[in-house]
Amino acid sequence: MERLRGDDPVRLGPFRLLGRLGSGGMGQVFLGRTSRGALAAVKVIHPGYAADPHFRERFDREIETARSANGPWVASVIDADASAGQPWLATEFIAGPTLYQAVRSNGPLPTRAVQVLAGRLSEALAALHAKGLAHRDLKPSNVVLAEDGPYLIDFGIAQAGDATPMTHTGTVLGPPGYMSPEQAQGEPAREPSDIFSFAGVLTFATTGRGPFGDMSGPVAMLMKISNDEPELGRVPEWLRPVLIPCLAKDPWSRPSAAQLVSRCAPSLGALAAWPPPAVTEATASGELTTVINPPSPASARRSRRLGYALVGCVAAALLLIGAVVMFRSGSPPYFSTLDDLRAEISSQLLSDRSYQMTTTSEWSAIGAEPLKVTTEGSVRLDGAGPSAQLTSRTVEPHTSPSSTPASPPPGGPGSAGTAALDTTPTPAPIVMIITPQQAWVSASGWPNPARIPPGKNWIAVPPDSADPVIAAYSREIRSQRELANPAARFSEYGDAVSLAGSAEDILEGVPTRRYTIRLDLAMAVQRESSPLVRRYLWEAVQGGEQVRDVLLWLDGRGRPVRVRSELRMNGDSITVTDTRYRGWGQAMQINPPPADQVLVDPPK
């Protein structure tokens, strides 16, 4: 980043400009900040274009196109003004190095990181293409590797497929090494061009160079793209079958982005391994957590001088590690009321619709071995409520009961009358499916599987039951539903729940805001409709617990990234649940199990 120059604007719309990020054929890109502290990339159109009234009309249409481009793994448009003296477009920052910087600094990405990159980019393109949009400038420097996944940025030259493009036919647009043959020949670039560039980006991620090399001049490169076959000898064998059809010379012979989504879906193991070392090293260096604090100037001139100093300090820090950083919107949003907080979370969750959830629960009790249960899951949210599929579970002893202990797992200590729990660390397959109305658990994990009829692989769990095993599962399902939609947590308790406070925090190197949500347990007992949950709440009150605090962390986009709660029971046990959220916007479908495989009346 460079500091502002003497002829640069100080403010555009609601954004105070802090520094220069870069420039392109269309104009200059600045780092901007709102009065609430949100950072943005503010793109200012070159005066030569701004003087053309026809260009302003096209730019206005382009703004509307860019607004509609918001989707999973795409940097969102925040604001824009085509009628301003200097037309501008602002998009959110993404915290992390670009793919180009990461590979140049650390070499090709690890295999699992490439799997996540392929999956997320295909999801981003599928969402854009479904709206009739094409990015048209997909390249390694337009992909940012953030803590929660890779993001597609710089949608400033995107266009509606049936609209007049802002760049005229015959104009070569994009970096030569990553453009499609039709772009190289000056033809309009549409959705298939993004697919060709997608393959080029993945080739770079795995080899450090594009599919047509990187040593040719622009004219020679355009000739190679139009006439030569791609150089994929260094691409891993598992990836070549995906890339080869994407690099077809005929644009309509390439697969669609929707087809790539199913072929490139990353495994949970790959998602768990994200972020790659290039991102974690940048985080450890403090690069991603740098916040540019705005001065309170007595005059515009003093503001400019202080801005120079602050930006200069940040630029010096970035130069030490040789990279320019993209920031996700700086300060996370602040909400003073619980209703506003819930509304923001609900809006963000319904916008992303799906995400990954990892819950680590530790349970400790007097006279019992402490246990830790780690559960991985996928969540899909719509207006009816959350659906979840828990895909793995690991149960093992833990040795630090004061650090983080969850409710006793079914069949474990605290579930009277059930079989003893094997505490050997053992990963399991799908263990639970939850929809807004029903829930099922895998028969393979039932404490007495020998009594389950052949062919019945799933057991339906009713909301309330006197049976200790079913009651334990029912309580866990209730907990998972709450964790899957933090905005709805405790919503049925009315004034028994309050917002106790908030504070800025850094979570794994990313700026967040931590909210404390407080539940009055005595009041909650009176409002709880489930006899099972009411009994647990009452036992907590009898044990001397008056309130339960739930800590909730939001990222710069207002999305929950962590929820942590603690519950003490009768003074002799403690349950601590810690849930992390990631993988936003992943395409998924969660379906009930086949009806003929479901046992409705489970064995006692």
Side-chain angles (χ1 to χ4, degrees):
M1 174 164 36
E2 299 178 9
R3 62 184 183 179
L4 294 173
R5 300 174 185 175
D7 57 349
D8 286 336
V10 177
R11 179 177 293 276
L12 287 170
F15 301 96
R16 191 170 66 78
L17 304 186
L18 304 175
R20 285 174 158 242
L21 293 175
S23 61
M26 303 300 293
Q28 181 69 44
V29 184
F30 296 95
L31 172 66
R33 186 169 187 170
T34 68
S35 58
R36 291 183 59 188
L39 293 174
V42 184
K43 304 176 184 181
V44 183
I45 299 303
H46 191 280
Y49 290 105
D52 180 357
H54 298 294
F55 176 87
R56 285 181 179 267
E57 292 177 4
R58 294 196 301 270
F59 183 58
D60 190 44
R61 292 195 297 269
E62 189 73 15
I63 289 173
E64 295 307 311
T65 298
R67 290 186 191 277
S68 67
N70 293 348
W73 311 108
V74 179
S76 303
V77 173
I78 299 174
D79 202 353
D81 189 351
S83 62
Q86 294 176 286
W88 55 270
L89 171 72
T91 59
E92 66 173 330
F93 263 120
I94 305 296
T98 66
L99 174 63
Y100 179 85
Q101 294 163 347
V103 173
R104 282 291 180 257
S105 299
N106 294 68
L109 296 186
T111 296
R112 287 188 169 185
V114 175
Q115 292 172 349
V116 175
L117 177 66
R120 294 302 184 243
L121 288 184
S122 63
E123 291 168 20
L125 292 177
L128 295 177
H129 293 178
K131 299 175 182 179
L133 304 175
H135 187 279
R136 303 177 68 238
D137 195 22
L138 179 54
K139 56 187 177 182
S141 59
N142 274 346
V143 177
V144 174
L145 309 182
E147 285 284 328
D148 57 344
Y151 283 79
L152 186 57
I153 66 168
D154 200 3
F155 207 80
I157 57 173
Q159 62 170 326
D162 57 355
T164 301
M166 287 183 60
T167 51
H168 305 288
T169 300
T171 299
V172 173
L173 175 65
Y178 299 94
M179 64 173 53
S180 64
E182 55 270 27
Q183 283 178 295
Q185 296 166 14
E187 298 175 4
R190 303 191 185 278
E191 291 91 330
S193 290
D194 287 345
I195 303 302
F196 194 95
S197 300
F198 165 85
V201 167
L202 291 181
T203 301
F204 177 81
T206 56
T207 67
R209 54 186 290 170
F212 297 93
D214 54 9
M215 300 304 292
S216 301
V219 175
M221 179 62 72
L222 296 179
M223 293 295 293
K224 292 181 68 175
I225 291 173
S226 299
N227 302 306
D228 295 354
E229 292 301 315
E231 303 168 5
L232 303 180
R234 296 168 57 190
V235 173
E237 291 187 8
W238 64 268
L239 187 58
R240 289 179 203 166
V242 176
L243 301 190
I244 289 174
C246 295
L247 292 168
K249 302 297 185 187
D250 177 11
W252 304 111
S253 297
R254 300 167 199 154
S256 67
Q259 291 172 322
L260 290 175
V261 169
S262 60
R263 297 197 64 182
C264 299
S267 65
L268 284 177
L271 292 171
W274 187 273
V279 178
T280 55
E281 289 176 12
T283 301
S285 72
E287 178 182 0
L288 304 186
T289 60
T290 303
V291 177
I292 302 179
N293 295 311
S296 299
S299 66
R301 179 174 298 178
R302 181 178 170 218
S303 173
R304 177 68 62 85
R305 288 199 303 267
L306 291 175
Y308 283 170
L310 289 168
V311 173
C313 290
V314 174
L318 299 182
L319 288 174
L320 289 176
I321 59 173
V324 177
V325 182
M326 298 290 182
F327 294 87
R328 173 177 296 284
S329 49
S331 297
Y334 167 73
F335 301 99
S336 59
T337 69
L338 189 58
D339 287 344
D340 289 344
L341 177 62
R342 283 173 170 159
E344 174 68 12
I345 296 173
S346 294
S347 174
Q348 293 296 334
L349 293 183
L350 288 173
S351 173
D352 288 301
R353 297 187 66 84
S354 57
Y355 41 94
Q356 302 294 321
M357 182 173 73
T358 301
T359 300
T360 300
S361 303
E362 294 181 3
W363 176 83
S364 302
I366 296 175
E369 182 178 27
L371 295 177
K372 180 172 73 172
V373 180
T374 302
T375 304
E376 296 277 351
S378 301
V379 179
R380 180 175 176 82
L381 192 68
D382 56 31
S387 298
Q389 178 175 285
L390 307 186
T391 51
S392 68
R393 159 177 282 188
T394 303
V395 181
E396 58 188 331
H398 81 89
T399 57
S400 55
S402 62
S403 59
T404 43
S407 54
S415 298
T418 66
L421 184 69
D422 181 5
T423 60
T424 303
T426 305
I430 297 175
V431 295
M432 189 176 297
I433 298 176
I434 301 172
T435 67
Q437 293 78 30
Q438 296 176 278
W440 303 264
V441 297
S442 171
S444 62
W446 203 256
N448 46 359
R451 300 181 59 185
I452 297 175
K456 298 297 183 180
N457 300 321
W458 295 93
I459 297 176
V461 179
D464 290 297
S465 173
D467 181 85
V469 176
I470 299 177
Y473 272 118
S474 180
R475 180 173 176 238
E476 181 176 2
I477 290 166
R478 162 74 176 262
S479 174
Q480 292 294 341
R481 280 199 173 104
E482 290 180 342
L483 291 171
N485 185 9
R489 192 163 192 175
F490 305 143
S491 58
E492 71 273 28
Y493 292 147
D495 58 358
V497 187
S498 61
L499 184 59
S502 70
E504 291 189 355
D505 199 359
I506 298 296
L507 186 63
E508 296 180 354
V510 177
T512 62
R513 179 168 287 275
R514 183 185 68 251
Y515 289 88
T516 301
I517 302 173
R518 182 158 295 166
L519 174 65
D520 185 308
L521 294 181
M523 295 175 65
V525 169
Q526 305 302 318
R527 292 164 172 76
E528 175 57 54
S529 59
S530 167
L532 175 66
V533 178
R534 187 164 57 245
R535 177 169 64 85
Y536 280 108
L537 292 173
W538 176 247
E539 289 178 359
V541 173
Q542 292 297 102
E545 188 177 7
Q546 301 299 315
V547 298
R548 182 196 304 181
D549 284 348
V550 176
L551 302 180
L552 170 67
W553 284 260
L554 298 187
D555 68 7
R557 290 181 61 179
R559 302 179 304 194
V561 291
R562 182 184 184 188
V563 172
R564 176 183 168 89
S565 63
E566 181 176 304
L567 177 66
R568 298 180 183 274
M569 304 288 291
N570 292 327
D572 60 5
S573 69
I574 179 173
T575 295
V576 177
T577 305
D578 200 328
T579 301
R580 306 296 180 103
Y581 304 84
R582 68 189 189 284
W584 304 94
Q586 179 181 6
M588 70 174 68
Q589 188 67 41
I590 297 175
N591 299 312
D596 60 346
Q597 297 182 17
V598 175
L599 183 62
V600 178
D601 187 16
K604 302 295 189 289

